[in-house]
Amino acid sequence: QKEVEQNSGPLSVPEGAIASLNCTYSDRVSQSFFWYRQYSGKSPELIMSIYSNGDKEDGRFTAQLNKASQYVSLLIRDSQPSDSATYLCAVNIIKAAGNKLTFGGGTRVLVKP
Amino acid sequence: DARVTQTPRHKVTEMGQEVTMRCQPILGHNTVFWYRQTMMQGLELLAYFRNRAPLDDSGMPKDRFSAEMPDATLATLKIQPSEPRDSAVYFCASGLSQGAFNEKLFFGSGTQLSVL
C-alpha cells in the first residue's frame, strides 16, 4: 500500500462546476497535509495546507480533513480552464529518522469551457 | 521575491558521466528536500536535510547518488556514474520546519536531466 494515494484521473469538469479531488494516507499520526498544483512542465506550487479536522476555505478552494478516516480532499468551486493542472496531495509522514513530506501520484484535472 | 534557485535547468549527458545539480534554498529556510519526478513514479523523495544535517536518504540509490549541504545556501545532488534510467526532472524544495513538523515547501524550477 502506498503511503499517499490519489486517483490519477483525468477528472473532467465543465467550466463553472465543482471539482472534487480525494486523497487517502496510511500514517495514522500524520499532522500536516498539503495540496500542490502543478502545471505541465512546471514545478509544484502550494495552494492549501490543513492541520485540523474539518474544512478550510481559501478563495475558490476548500480543503477537507478527516483524520479518523485518513482522508483529505480538495474542492475547487467555479472551476476555470486555468485550473487545468495536476493536483498533488502531500502528507507529512512520521518516521524515526525524521518527518518527511510524501506526495501522492497526483490527479490530473481538465476543465472544459 | 524569495525563491528556490536550481541549476542547471537542463542537462544532457552520456551514460557514465558525472552529473552535479545545485540548489540555493530560500534564505532562512532550514529544510531542503530533493525529489525526482517521472511519469511512471511521480514525485519520489530522494533525500532531505534539516539544519544542514542529512535526515533521510533512504530513497536514493546509494551506490551512485550522493547529496550534501556544504553550507546553508547550497545543496548539491550528485550522480556518478549516470545511467539512462536516471533521466527525470529533479526538484529541490526548501521550507521552514518548526518542532516535529515540516511546514510548507517551496519548489525550485527543477533540473531536466537526460542521460543518453
Side-chain angles (χ1 to χ4, degrees), chain A residues 4-33:
Chain A
V4 182
E5 298 213 52
Q6 297 180 252
N7 188 318
S8 61
L11 176 66
S12 185
V13 179
E15 184 175 359
I18 295 175
S20 178
L21 291 76
N22 302 318
C23 172
T24 58
Y25 59 95
S26 61
D27 185 3
R28 289 185 173 276
V29 298
S30 295
Q31 298 291 330
S32 308
F33 307 86

mmCIF file of all heavy atoms in Angstrom, chain A residues 4-33:
data_model
loop_
_atom_site.group_PDB
_atom_site.id
_atom_site.type_symbol
_atom_site.label_atom_id
_atom_site.label_comp_id
_atom_site.label_asym_id
_atom_site.label_seq_id
_atom_site.Cartn_x
_atom_site.Cartn_y
_atom_site.Cartn_z
ATOM 1 N N VAL A 4 0.624 7.527 0.322
ATOM 2 C CA VAL A 4 -0.347 8.552 -0.063
ATOM 3 C C VAL A 4 -0.929 8.146 -1.414
ATOM 4 O O VAL A 4 -0.175 7.930 -2.369
ATOM 5 C CB VAL A 4 0.296 9.946 -0.163
ATOM 6 C CG1 VAL A 4 -0.751 10.987 -0.516
ATOM 7 C CG2 VAL A 4 0.996 10.309 1.140
ATOM 8 N N GLU A 5 -2.234 8.037 -1.482
ATOM 9 C CA GLU A 5 -2.869 7.558 -2.718
ATOM 10 C C GLU A 5 -3.870 8.555 -3.263
ATOM 11 O O GLU A 5 -4.662 9.135 -2.509
ATOM 12 C CB GLU A 5 -3.558 6.218 -2.464
ATOM 13 C CG GLU A 5 -2.598 5.123 -2.034
ATOM 14 C CD GLU A 5 -3.016 3.756 -2.534
ATOM 15 O OE1 GLU A 5 -3.259 3.600 -3.745
ATOM 16 O OE2 GLU A 5 -3.091 2.841 -1.700
ATOM 17 N N GLN A 6 -3.839 8.717 -4.572
ATOM 18 C CA GLN A 6 -4.786 9.573 -5.268
ATOM 19 C C GLN A 6 -5.228 8.874 -6.542
ATOM 20 O O GLN A 6 -4.477 8.106 -7.133
ATOM 21 C CB GLN A 6 -4.150 10.910 -5.691
ATOM 22 C CG GLN A 6 -3.667 11.794 -4.572
ATOM 23 C CD GLN A 6 -3.063 13.066 -5.137
ATOM 24 O OE1 GLN A 6 -1.853 13.246 -5.103
ATOM 25 N NE2 GLN A 6 -3.923 13.954 -5.642
ATOM 26 N N ASN A 7 -6.424 9.206 -6.985
ATOM 27 C CA ASN A 7 -6.884 8.750 -8.289
ATOM 28 C C ASN A 7 -6.156 9.573 -9.350
ATOM 29 O O ASN A 7 -6.115 10.792 -9.271
ATOM 30 C CB ASN A 7 -8.401 8.957 -8.396
ATOM 31 C CG ASN A 7 -8.965 8.334 -9.652
ATOM 32 O OD1 ASN A 7 -8.390 8.427 -10.733
ATOM 33 N ND2 ASN A 7 -10.100 7.683 -9.507
ATOM 34 N N SER A 8 -5.580 8.898 -10.339
ATOM 35 C CA SER A 8 -4.756 9.618 -11.310
ATOM 36 C C SER A 8 -5.564 10.454 -12.297
ATOM 37 O O SER A 8 -5.036 11.379 -12.925
ATOM 38 C CB SER A 8 -3.872 8.634 -12.070
ATOM 39 O OG SER A 8 -4.671 7.713 -12.777
ATOM 40 N N GLY A 9 -6.870 10.131 -12.440
ATOM 41 C CA GLY A 9 -7.696 10.882 -13.379
ATOM 42 C C GLY A 9 -7.460 10.436 -14.820
ATOM 43 O O GLY A 9 -6.999 9.312 -15.036
ATOM 44 N N PRO A 10 -7.772 11.271 -15.830
ATOM 45 C CA PRO A 10 -8.128 12.670 -15.643
ATOM 46 C C PRO A 10 -9.554 12.876 -15.133
ATOM 47 O O PRO A 10 -10.436 12.080 -15.426
ATOM 48 C CB PRO A 10 -7.956 13.261 -17.037
ATOM 49 C CG PRO A 10 -8.186 12.118 -17.961
ATOM 50 C CD PRO A 10 -7.690 10.899 -17.260
ATOM 51 N N LEU A 11 -9.720 13.920 -14.343
ATOM 52 C CA LEU A 11 -11.017 14.338 -13.867
ATOM 53 C C LEU A 11 -11.485 15.472 -14.777
ATOM 54 O O LEU A 11 -10.906 16.543 -14.773
ATOM 55 C CB LEU A 11 -10.909 14.817 -12.411
ATOM 56 C CG LEU A 11 -12.190 15.376 -11.787
ATOM 57 C CD1 LEU A 11 -13.233 14.272 -11.651
ATOM 58 C CD2 LEU A 11 -11.888 15.997 -10.411
ATOM 59 N N SER A 12 -12.505 15.185 -15.550
ATOM 60 C CA SER A 12 -13.000 16.168 -16.499
ATOM 61 C C SER A 12 -14.170 16.928 -15.883
ATOM 62 O O SER A 12 -15.136 16.304 -15.428
ATOM 63 C CB SER A 12 -13.424 15.472 -17.791
ATOM 64 O OG SER A 12 -13.790 16.414 -18.765
ATOM 65 N N VAL A 13 -14.086 18.254 -15.865
ATOM 66 C CA VAL A 13 -15.078 19.086 -15.179
ATOM 67 C C VAL A 13 -15.521 20.208 -16.105
ATOM 68 O O VAL A 13 -14.658 20.879 -16.716
ATOM 69 C CB VAL A 13 -14.469 19.684 -13.891
ATOM 70 C CG1 VAL A 13 -15.479 20.570 -13.191
ATOM 71 C CG2 VAL A 13 -13.975 18.595 -12.965
ATOM 72 N N PRO A 14 -16.820 20.454 -16.251
ATOM 73 C CA PRO A 14 -17.262 21.595 -17.063
ATOM 74 C C PRO A 14 -16.916 22.907 -16.372
ATOM 75 O O PRO A 14 -16.902 22.996 -15.124
ATOM 76 C CB PRO A 14 -18.782 21.420 -17.131
ATOM 77 C CG PRO A 14 -19.067 20.065 -16.602
ATOM 78 C CD PRO A 14 -17.939 19.675 -15.728
ATOM 79 N N GLU A 15 -16.629 23.922 -17.136
ATOM 80 C CA GLU A 15 -16.340 25.239 -16.572
ATOM 81 C C GLU A 15 -17.505 25.688 -15.687
ATOM 82 O O GLU A 15 -18.666 25.570 -16.055
ATOM 83 C CB GLU A 15 -16.117 26.258 -17.692
ATOM 84 C CG GLU A 15 -15.716 27.633 -17.206
ATOM 85 C CD GLU A 15 -15.378 28.574 -18.360
ATOM 86 O OE1 GLU A 15 -15.433 28.137 -19.533
ATOM 87 O OE2 GLU A 15 -15.063 29.749 -18.080
ATOM 88 N N GLY A 16 -17.161 26.204 -14.509
ATOM 89 C CA GLY A 16 -18.173 26.674 -13.570
ATOM 90 C C GLY A 16 -18.626 25.632 -12.568
ATOM 91 O O GLY A 16 -19.263 25.967 -11.563
ATOM 92 N N ALA A 17 -18.289 24.385 -12.796
ATOM 93 C CA ALA A 17 -18.702 23.303 -11.889
ATOM 94 C C ALA A 17 -17.689 23.142 -10.747
ATOM 95 O O ALA A 17 -16.677 23.832 -10.685
ATOM 96 C CB ALA A 17 -18.838 21.996 -12.668
ATOM 97 N N ILE A 18 -18.011 22.221 -9.831
ATOM 98 C CA ILE A 18 -17.120 21.936 -8.702
ATOM 99 C C ILE A 18 -16.281 20.704 -9.029
ATOM 100 O O ILE A 18 -16.809 19.669 -9.430
ATOM 101 C CB ILE A 18 -17.933 21.676 -7.414
ATOM 102 C CG1 ILE A 18 -18.697 22.934 -6.989
ATOM 103 C CG2 ILE A 18 -16.997 21.220 -6.279
ATOM 104 C CD1 ILE A 18 -19.612 22.716 -5.797
ATOM 105 N N ALA A 19 -14.976 20.838 -8.846
ATOM 106 C CA ALA A 19 -14.071 19.691 -8.986
ATOM 107 C C ALA A 19 -13.788 19.159 -7.590
ATOM 108 O O ALA A 19 -13.467 19.922 -6.679
ATOM 109 C CB ALA A 19 -12.779 20.096 -9.668
ATOM 110 N N SER A 20 -13.906 17.850 -7.420
ATOM 111 C CA SER A 20 -13.694 17.220 -6.122
ATOM 112 C C SER A 20 -12.564 16.205 -6.227
ATOM 113 O O SER A 20 -12.639 15.249 -6.995
ATOM 114 C CB SER A 20 -14.991 16.527 -5.662
ATOM 115 O OG SER A 20 -14.785 15.874 -4.427
ATOM 116 N N LEU A 21 -11.497 16.417 -5.466
ATOM 117 C CA LEU A 21 -10.322 15.553 -5.509
ATOM 118 C C LEU A 21 -10.139 14.889 -4.149
ATOM 119 O O LEU A 21 -10.319 15.527 -3.113
ATOM 120 C CB LEU A 21 -9.069 16.358 -5.845
ATOM 121 C CG LEU A 21 -8.948 16.944 -7.257
ATOM 122 C CD1 LEU A 21 -9.837 18.163 -7.435
ATOM 123 C CD2 LEU A 21 -7.513 17.292 -7.546
ATOM 124 N N ASN A 22 -9.755 13.624 -4.176
ATOM 125 C CA ASN A 22 -9.624 12.856 -2.942
ATOM 126 C C ASN A 22 -8.217 12.314 -2.754
ATOM 127 O O ASN A 22 -7.493 12.085 -3.729
ATOM 128 C CB ASN A 22 -10.604 11.681 -2.955
ATOM 129 C CG ASN A 22 -12.026 12.151 -3.127
ATOM 130 O OD1 ASN A 22 -12.445 13.132 -2.525
ATOM 131 N ND2 ASN A 22 -12.776 11.463 -3.973
ATOM 132 N N CYS A 23 -7.873 12.089 -1.500
ATOM 133 C CA CYS A 23 -6.543 11.581 -1.151
ATOM 134 C C CYS A 23 -6.664 10.777 0.139
ATOM 135 O O CYS A 23 -7.316 11.228 1.091
ATOM 136 C CB CYS A 23 -5.592 12.764 -0.979
ATOM 137 S SG CYS A 23 -3.963 12.375 -0.329
ATOM 138 N N THR A 24 -6.057 9.611 0.160
ATOM 139 C CA THR A 24 -6.006 8.832 1.399
ATOM 140 C C THR A 24 -4.557 8.602 1.771
ATOM 141 O O THR A 24 -3.668 8.591 0.908
ATOM 142 C CB THR A 24 -6.723 7.471 1.252
ATOM 143 O OG1 THR A 24 -6.114 6.743 0.179
ATOM 144 C CG2 THR A 24 -8.192 7.660 0.980
ATOM 145 N N TYR A 25 -4.309 8.421 3.064
ATOM 146 C CA TYR A 25 -2.934 8.240 3.532
ATOM 147 C C TYR A 25 -2.888 7.131 4.568
ATOM 148 O O TYR A 25 -3.886 6.797 5.202
ATOM 149 C CB TYR A 25 -2.371 9.549 4.097
ATOM 150 C CG TYR A 25 -3.162 10.125 5.251
ATOM 151 C CD1 TYR A 25 -2.809 9.855 6.565
ATOM 152 C CD2 TYR A 25 -4.273 10.945 5.017
ATOM 153 C CE1 TYR A 25 -3.530 10.371 7.620
ATOM 154 C CE2 TYR A 25 -5.007 11.463 6.069
ATOM 155 C CZ TYR A 25 -4.636 11.184 7.365
ATOM 156 O OH TYR A 25 -5.354 11.683 8.419
ATOM 157 N N SER A 26 -1.714 6.555 4.762
ATOM 158 C CA SER A 26 -1.597 5.355 5.591
ATOM 159 C C SER A 26 -1.114 5.638 7.014
ATOM 160 O O SER A 26 -1.391 4.842 7.919
ATOM 161 C CB SER A 26 -0.652 4.349 4.926
ATOM 162 O OG SER A 26 0.642 4.924 4.787
ATOM 163 N N ASP A 27 -0.426 6.743 7.240
ATOM 164 C CA ASP A 27 0.167 7.011 8.548
ATOM 165 C C ASP A 27 -0.848 7.689 9.461
ATOM 166 O O ASP A 27 -1.204 8.844 9.252
ATOM 167 C CB ASP A 27 1.409 7.900 8.363
ATOM 168 C CG ASP A 27 2.161 8.130 9.663
ATOM 169 O OD1 ASP A 27 1.766 7.570 10.702
ATOM 170 O OD2 ASP A 27 3.147 8.866 9.640
ATOM 171 N N ARG A 28 -1.283 6.987 10.477
ATOM 172 C CA ARG A 28 -2.344 7.489 11.359
ATOM 173 C C ARG A 28 -1.941 8.728 12.149
ATOM 174 O O ARG A 28 -2.800 9.514 12.560
ATOM 175 C CB ARG A 28 -2.769 6.406 12.346
ATOM 176 C CG ARG A 28 -3.541 5.272 11.729
ATOM 177 C CD ARG A 28 -4.042 4.292 12.784
ATOM 178 N NE ARG A 28 -4.916 3.294 12.201
ATOM 179 C CZ ARG A 28 -6.217 3.488 11.997
ATOM 180 N NH1 ARG A 28 -6.786 4.619 12.348
ATOM 181 N NH2 ARG A 28 -6.938 2.536 11.442
ATOM 182 N N VAL A 29 -0.643 8.905 12.375
ATOM 183 C CA VAL A 29 -0.233 10.018 13.236
ATOM 184 C C VAL A 29 0.176 11.261 12.450
ATOM 185 O O VAL A 29 0.661 12.221 13.029
ATOM 186 C CB VAL A 29 0.910 9.580 14.180
ATOM 187 C CG1 VAL A 29 0.445 8.464 15.100
ATOM 188 C CG2 VAL A 29 2.145 9.175 13.403
ATOM 189 N N SER A 30 -0.028 11.239 11.143
ATOM 190 C CA SER A 30 0.295 12.421 10.333
ATOM 191 C C SER A 30 -0.494 13.626 10.812
ATOM 192 O O SER A 30 -1.663 13.510 11.189
ATOM 193 C CB SER A 30 -0.021 12.148 8.859
ATOM 194 O OG SER A 30 0.812 11.147 8.353
ATOM 195 N N GLN A 31 0.152 14.793 10.817
ATOM 196 C CA GLN A 31 -0.473 16.002 11.354
ATOM 197 C C GLN A 31 -0.602 17.123 10.337
ATOM 198 O O GLN A 31 -1.367 18.049 10.529
ATOM 199 C CB GLN A 31 0.353 16.512 12.544
ATOM 200 C CG GLN A 31 0.427 15.542 13.711
ATOM 201 C CD GLN A 31 -0.899 15.384 14.420
ATOM 202 O OE1 GLN A 31 -1.700 16.307 14.463
ATOM 203 N NE2 GLN A 31 -1.139 14.205 14.974
ATOM 204 N N SER A 32 0.201 17.067 9.263
ATOM 205 C CA SER A 32 0.231 18.176 8.301
ATOM 206 C C SER A 32 -0.108 17.653 6.913
ATOM 207 O O SER A 32 0.439 16.635 6.480
ATOM 208 C CB SER A 32 1.624 18.817 8.264
ATOM 209 O OG SER A 32 2.062 19.149 9.550
ATOM 210 N N PHE A 33 -0.997 18.411 6.235
ATOM 211 C CA PHE A 33 -1.487 17.965 4.932
ATOM 212 C C PHE A 33 -1.507 19.145 3.975
ATOM 213 O O PHE A 33 -1.861 20.266 4.373
ATOM 214 C CB PHE A 33 -2.897 17.375 5.076
ATOM 215 C CG PHE A 33 -2.975 16.314 6.134
ATOM 216 C CD1 PHE A 33 -3.199 16.655 7.455
ATOM 217 C CD2 PHE A 33 -2.791 14.982 5.801
ATOM 218 C CE1 PHE A 33 -3.239 15.678 8.448
ATOM 219 C CE2 PHE A 33 -2.833 14.001 6.779
ATOM 220 C CZ PHE A 33 -3.053 14.345 8.104
#
